[in-house]
Amino acid sequence: MAKVTVSTLAKMKREHNKITALTAYDASFAKLFDDNGVDVVLVGDSLGMVLQGADDTLAVTNADIAYHTRCVRAGSKELFVVADMPFMTYANPTQACENAAELMRAGANMVKLEGGEWLLDSIRALTQQGIPVCGHLGLTPQSVHVFGGFKIQGRGDNQAERMIADAKALENAGAQLLVVECIPASLAKRISQALTIPVIGIGAGKDTDGQILVMHDLVGISAGYIPKFSKNFLAETGNMPDAVKKYCQDVKSGAFPTSEHEFN
């Protein structure tokens, strides 16, 4: 598979070629994903829940993400690797640059931050220092206690308009990718159409520029419950390589997600 870059992803959006993404935390799965058609992997702070067994992502440290980023990069030199910046590691531009630098040195191609307008100064600082940025709007897990749980976001008109404005502001500040999570499919479509950068959805319907799932959900082994927006591709295919291939094929063709995996 050819090396994926930010230019690759931008071209995929322009050509209406869906982007496939999964979370990854180690070398073996990174290689598996690279070999079977995945474009982007996210070293997510979701590791706090699926690997460490916590109820949320808040205890994950920058050192945790850096360690797993090194593992993922060792498994593939070609994959585009996005590394999550954990809770309270980017409270101001200086802190954001210092912690992002550690993740880039570990092998990330881009860092991901959760939030809207308050992040603009940090995004400008990061991009000025040569660090590509992915934004994250909607259900931002690091704000779970503010939301009162893992709840759908953007359902009201005011919330929706605020999210569209935030998305445009993130792009204008220099973000080159955006993840939208657990928002109405109609809102995700509006955001995707409003931006020139790629928008990757999770629980956001089929009209985004790509899809991402937590790898444990893809194979039906997540502790606790499987979210409505996920699908167990392993149950359908019977082995890991075919599960990943089927996921990529279904995202590319538009067969996944369907209406049963989205919110209205």
Side-chain angles (χ1 to χ4, degrees), residues 4-20:
V4 177
T5 67
V6 289
S7 297
T8 309
L9 300 176
K11 182 180 179 183
M12 291 175 75
K13 172 165 180 138
R14 290 195 303 271
E15 296 180 351
H16 306 288
N17 181 8
K18 295 284 189 179
I19 297 165
T20 58

Side-chain angles (χ1 to χ4, degrees), residues 161-181:
E161 294 304 321
R162 178 71 261 167
M163 202 175 299
I164 293 170
D166 279 342
K168 291 178 178 178
L170 295 177
E171 178 178 33
N172 290 335
Q176 292 174 286
L177 195 65
L178 177 67
V179 169
V180 291
E181 180 172 357

